[in-house]
Amino acid sequence: MSVSVVILAAGAGTRMKSLTPKVLHKICGKEMLFYSVQEALKISDDIHIILFHQYERIKEAIENYFKNSKITFHIQNHLKYPGTGGALMEGEDQKPISTKYDRTLILNGDMPLIKKDELLSLISCESAVVMSVFTLENPSGYGRVVIKDQKVHSIIEEKDATESIKSICVVNAGVYVFDKYILGNYLPKVNNNNAQKEYYLTDIISLCVQDKIDIKPVFVNEENFMGVNSKSQLVYAESKMLEYLRNEAMNQGVIMHLPDTIYIEPEVVFEGECEIENGVHIKGKCKIINSHIKAHTIIEESNLKDSDIGPMAHIRPGCEISNTHIGNFVELKACNLNGVKAGHLSYLGDCNIDEGSNIGAGVITCNYDGKKKHKTIIGKNVFIGSDTQLIAPINIGSNVLIGSGTTVTKDVNEGDLVISRVKQENKPGGFYRFFQPPKEIQKKND
Ligand code: UD1
Ligand code: MG
C-alpha cells in the first residue's frame, strides 16, 4: 500500500499530569506509542514520528522496539508552530515535512487501540481528504464536527466551542488521509487565531470546505479510535486492550476462568491446550504451551511447556519450565526445570534441575552472597528433603538423597546420601521445668 504514515507525538500531554511524556505511558506493559507504530508498520514502509517534549526519551524507547524498521523522527518547531498542524510544518514557510508517497495517513500517538484493518479501510476511501469521526454520548475533550448534507462542514475544538457546539456528539477521531497536494496547499494557510494559539491540523479541513472540496466523514469504531488524554482514559484503554488480548487467546482455544481478572501482555503466546485461572498475570515475552496456570500466579518473561503452576506461584524472568509441577508459594528466577516437582514454599533461583527430581517444602537456593549471584545445578532423580538450604555455587549429582533440614555447602557426588543435622536430644520431663503441669498430671504424680 503506497501511503506514508505520520504519527503525531510532540504534544506536552499536560492533561496526564505527569513528568513522563504522554505517549510513553504504558498499556499492558508497552508504551502507548508502540502500538501506533506497530500497526503503522503493517501498512507502510515510510513511517514518520513527530516529537518535541522529551524527544530523546521517546526516540530511544521506540528505536529499541523497532531496531530493523525505517522510522524517520522529526523534531517539531514547537515554539514557533505549536499544535497538531504545527507538528507537520517544517522550515520557515509552514511547508509540510517531506514524505515518500502521494498520500499521507496521519495518526495521533495517543491512540493505542487502533488496528491495521481500520487504517486500511480509511486508506481505501478514494478521496483527496478522508476524515474519521465517531459519535459519543459524552464528547468532552474532542473536536466537535458539524455535518451538513452528509458532508463535513467544520470542526470546532472544545476550547473554542460555544455551549451549543459543545452539545454536538459527533467528534473528530483524529485520523486523516490527505493527498500530498492538499497538505502542500493548505498547511501554509493555517493560522493560530484560536483559544489555544495553536496551529490546528483540523483547520485544513475547514479550508478545504471553503474551497468546495467535499469531505465525507467516515464513521469509525469509537472504542478503537479513542484518544488517551488523561490517566483515567489510560486505565480505560488498558482495560479495552486486555479484553482484546484475552479474546484473541480464548478464540485460539485457551480456557480462562473469570477472564476479567486475568492480565496478559501483547508478547504472551499460547500454544496447544492451556487453562488459565482467575487472577493470573503473565507479563513480557512468554510462551505457554499445553499448561495449566492456577489462580493468582504471576509469570514474567518465561516459557512453560506441559506443566502446571500455582496457585500463587511467582515465576520471575528467565525460566524455562517443561513437564514440571510447581505448587503454591514457590518463587522461581532464571531456572531451567525439566520434569521436576516443587510443590510448596520454595525459592529456586539461578538453577538447573533435571528430570525426576523432587524439591521438598521450604527448600531454598541461597544464590546471592551479597555481591554476586551463583548457580545451583541439580541432576536427575534427586530428592531434596524439606527445609534444605543449598548454598550456591553448588553441584548436586544424579540419584542423590538429601535429608530434611540439611545445609548443603559442598558439591555432592552421584548416588550419595547427604545429611547435616544437629543430633536430637530428648530430656524427659524437661517441659515442666518451664511450665506448670496440668492438674491431672500433678494428681498422678502425688
Ligand atoms: C485532537 C484534535 C481533535 C480530535 C482529537 C482526537 C486538533 C486540533 N484536535 O485533539 O479535533 O477530536 O485529537 O483524539 O488536532 N501533538 C503534536 N504537537 C503539538 C500538539 C499535539 O505532535 O503541538 C500530538 C500529540 O502528541 C498527540 C496528538 O498530536 O499525539 C493529538 O494532540 P492532543 O493534544 O491529544 O489533541 P486533542 O486535544 O486530543
Ligand atoms: Mg488527544
Side-chain angles (χ1 to χ4, degrees):
M1 187 74 63
S2 302
V3 66
S4 297
V5 180
V6 178
I7 304 174
L8 308 184
T14 40
R15 286 168 282 180
M16 290 301 273
K17 310 246 181 321
S18 170
L19 295 175
T20 301
K22 172 160 86 175
V23 294
L24 289 192
H25 278 82
K26 289 186 178 173
I27 286 182
C28 295
K30 288 263 189 292
E31 291 79 356
M32 235 195 284
L33 186 55
F34 162 88
Y35 295 99
S36 325
V37 178
Q38 177 181 256
E39 296 308 299
L41 281 167
K42 291 179 188 168
I43 60 167
S44 174
D45 61 355
D46 186 41
I47 312 291
H48 300 258
I49 304 180
I50 316 291
L51 300 174
F52 176 70
H53 290 281
Q54 302 193 49
Y55 66 87
E56 278 161 343
R57 243 178 109 180
I58 302 173
K59 184 168 179 271
E60 194 187 325
I62 292 302
E63 279 178 338
N64 210 12
Y65 284 122
F66 303 99
K67 290 195 179 82
N68 302 320
S69 308
K70 189 180 167 283
I71 298 172
T72 311
F73 293 90
H74 303 259
I75 313 294
Q76 181 178 351
N77 188 347
H78 204 276
L79 294 178
K80 196 163 174 198
Y81 300 127
T84 49
L88 293 176
M89 295 172 185
E90 218 161 45
E92 291 301 308
D93 45 4
Q94 299 191 197
K95 285 260 165 63
I97 58 165
S98 71
T99 47
K100 185 169 163 187
Y101 297 111
D102 284 341
R103 298 183 89 204
T104 308
L105 170 79
I106 297 176
L107 278 180
N108 287 354
D110 64 356
M111 294 178 162
L113 302 179
I114 211 155
K115 290 275 171 284
K116 170 192 130 192
D117 289 347
E118 288 152 337
L119 299 179
L120 284 177
S121 72
L122 290 176
I123 297 165
S124 65
C125 295
E126 283 176 18
S127 176
V129 181
V130 180
M131 188 194 160
S132 56
V133 298
F134 52 74
T135 311
L136 281 183
E137 243 171 68
N138 171 13
S140 87
Y142 286 94
R144 310 300 202 280
V145 181
V146 180
I147 296 179
K148 281 187 184 159
D149 301 329
Q150 297 179 349
K151 288 176 204 149
V152 175
H153 179 266
S154 52
I155 309 174
I156 301 107
E157 289 306 303
E158 169 134 322
K159 286 189 180 140
D160 303 300
T162 59
E163 284 312 309
S164 78
I165 292 285
K166 277 187 191 163
S167 67
I168 294 175
C169 292
V170 179
V171 300
N172 170 21
V175 180
Y176 323 82
V177 186
F178 290 112
D179 275 4
K180 207 168 204 165
Y181 78 91
I182 296 276
L183 285 178
N185 274 358
Y186 291 101
L187 199 60
K189 295 181 184 155
V190 171
N191 63 41
N192 64 347
N193 298 333
N194 52 53
Q196 302 188 82
K197 295 273 165 282
E198 287 187 353
Y199 293 82
Y200 293 163
L201 182 57
T202 45
D203 283 359
I204 291 186
I205 306 279
S206 309
L207 291 168
C208 286
V209 171
Q210 278 171 27
D211 280 0
K212 308 263 181 296
I213 298 173
D214 284 351
I215 300 169
K216 268 192 83 174
V218 178
F219 279 83
V220 295
N221 175 306
E222 72 270 17
E223 267 178 354
N224 293 358
F225 279 72
M226 79 172 276
V228 173
N229 296 313
S230 64
K231 289 202 173 135
S232 70
Q233 286 170 333
L234 181 79
V235 171
Y236 181 76
E238 182 169 79
S239 75
K240 288 287 149 192
M241 179 68 76
L242 281 170
E243 228 170 72
Y244 170 81
L245 295 173
R246 288 187 301 242
N247 282 336
E248 288 251 290
M250 287 190 275
N251 287 337
Q252 201 201 300
V254 176
I255 297 176
M256 289 188 170
H257 301 274
L258 297 176
D260 287 354
T261 65
I262 294 171
Y263 174 92
I264 53 176
E265 294 187 349
E267 288 179 299
V268 176
V269 176
F270 296 99
E271 270 179 29
E273 298 211 26
C274 295
E275 188 168 345
I276 314 295
E277 294 186 10
N278 54 297
V280 166
H281 287 204
I282 312 178
K283 298 177 176 181
K285 205 170 182 171
C286 293
K287 197 171 201 179
I288 317 287
I289 306 173
N290 292 323
S291 292
H292 183 173
I293 304 171
K294 295 182 189 163
H296 301 289
T297 289
I298 297 177
I299 299 176
E300 304 165 88
E301 306 274 349
S302 290
N303 297 324
L304 300 186
K305 196 176 168 209
D306 303 320
S307 297
D308 70 284
I309 314 286
M312 289 166 284
H314 187 182
I315 313 300
R316 290 173 48 208
C319 292
E320 297 288 333
I321 299 168
S322 56
N323 296 305
T324 285
H325 160 72
I326 300 291
N328 50 192
F329 307 112
V330 173
E331 176 182 344
L332 307 182
K333 191 228 45 176
C335 289
N336 271 300
L337 306 190
N338 173 27
V340 175
K341 286 186 181 155
H344 344 252
L345 295 158
S346 269
Y347 171 60
L348 304 172
D350 302 298
C351 59
N352 294 352
I353 311 181
D354 218 334
E355 250 175 289
S357 291
N358 187 93
I359 310 297
V363 170
I364 306 288
T365 54
C366 306
N367 60 334
Y368 187 48
D369 61 11
K371 286 185 188 143
K372 273 191 182 158
K373 300 277 165 70
H374 300 282
K375 283 211 80 132
T376 299
I377 313 286
I378 299 172
K380 293 187 177 158
N381 301 318
V382 173
F383 184 94
I384 304 190
S386 298
D387 193 29
T388 291
Q389 303 108 58
L390 302 157
I391 314 286
I394 200 135
N395 249 297
I396 316 262
S398 291
N399 307 320
V400 161
L401 177 60
I402 300 179
S404 173
T406 297
T407 302
V408 186
T409 54
K410 289 187 288 196
D411 286 356
V412 180
N413 291 329
E414 171 167 3
D416 284 0
L417 163 72
V418 185
I419 189 154
S420 77
R421 252 183 229 164
V422 177
K423 206 160 185 260
Q424 181 172 324
E425 239 180 291
N426 292 14
K427 302 199 179 204
F431 178 84
Y432 305 116
R433 286 182 11 221
F434 301 96
F435 300 100
Q436 284 291 326
K439 283 196 181 102
E440 57 282 9
I441 291 185
Q442 269 180 21
K443 265 194 215 143
K444 218 164 63 184
N445 291 345
D446 283 346

